[in-house]
Amino acid sequence: MPNTSERTFIAIKPDGVQRNLVGKIIQRFEERGYKLVALKLVQASKNHLEVHYQDLKEKPFFPGLIKYMQSGPIVAMVWEGLDAVRQGRAMLGATNPLDSNAGTIRGDYCIQTGRNICHGSDSVDSANREISHWFKQDELVDYEFANKVWLYE
């Protein structure tokens, strides 16, 4: 059986929450077969967001990004499964929604990069860092996924 324990961090940004897309985004990950390991609604602090986006600190759009991410609640999630990081990013679509294919989350629900409704880890290392930044170890739920036998050989 393939290793199905890779985890990724997915966040629904304030615009996704305000537009009532939380359920639709979660549904896509569930229907794909990924296992939800952690979920919470948070109002992130400026400091928390600056640490999360530390690799973008020198970009000219950084202050606006932090302000946007503080503008409302964020749904932080951890999903688990085979190739979860790469597939999670593929499901979200390109960072610029206009470059996203129809059928992706951003391709179906977004128009502009500055309001692209979700974040997904871009590597396993980033996922591990982001998960530990947003969740305490005891907030990650480890359980036997009943659908596993129907998803994996």
Side-chain angles (χ1 to χ4, degrees), residues 7-13 22 25-26 29 34 36 38-40 52 69 74-80 84-92 105-106 117-122 126-127 130-131 134-135:
R7 290 179 173 176
T8 191
F9 175 76
I10 302 291
I12 303 173
K13 297 177 181 180
V22 172
I25 294 168
I26 289 172
F29 282 86
Y34 287 108
L36 183 62
L39 171 87
K40 63 182 170 182
H52 176 80
M69 291 297 288
I74 296 167
V75 175
M77 301 176 285
V78 179
W79 292 91
E80 181 178 288
V85 172
R86 189 173 64 89
Q87 290 304 316
R89 294 279 293 192
M91 291 169 63
L92 297 182
I105 292 166
R106 291 176 178 147
I117 72 172
C118 43
H119 165 85
S121 301
D122 61 6
S126 291
E130 291 170 352
I131 291 167
W134 288 84
F135 292 93

Side-chain angles (χ1 to χ4, degrees), residues 12-22 43 71-74 117:
I12 303 173
K13 297 177 181 180
D15 54 324
V17 174
Q18 292 290 346
R19 292 179 55 206
N20 295 313
L21 295 173
V22 172
Q43 183 74 50
S71 69
I74 296 167
I117 72 172

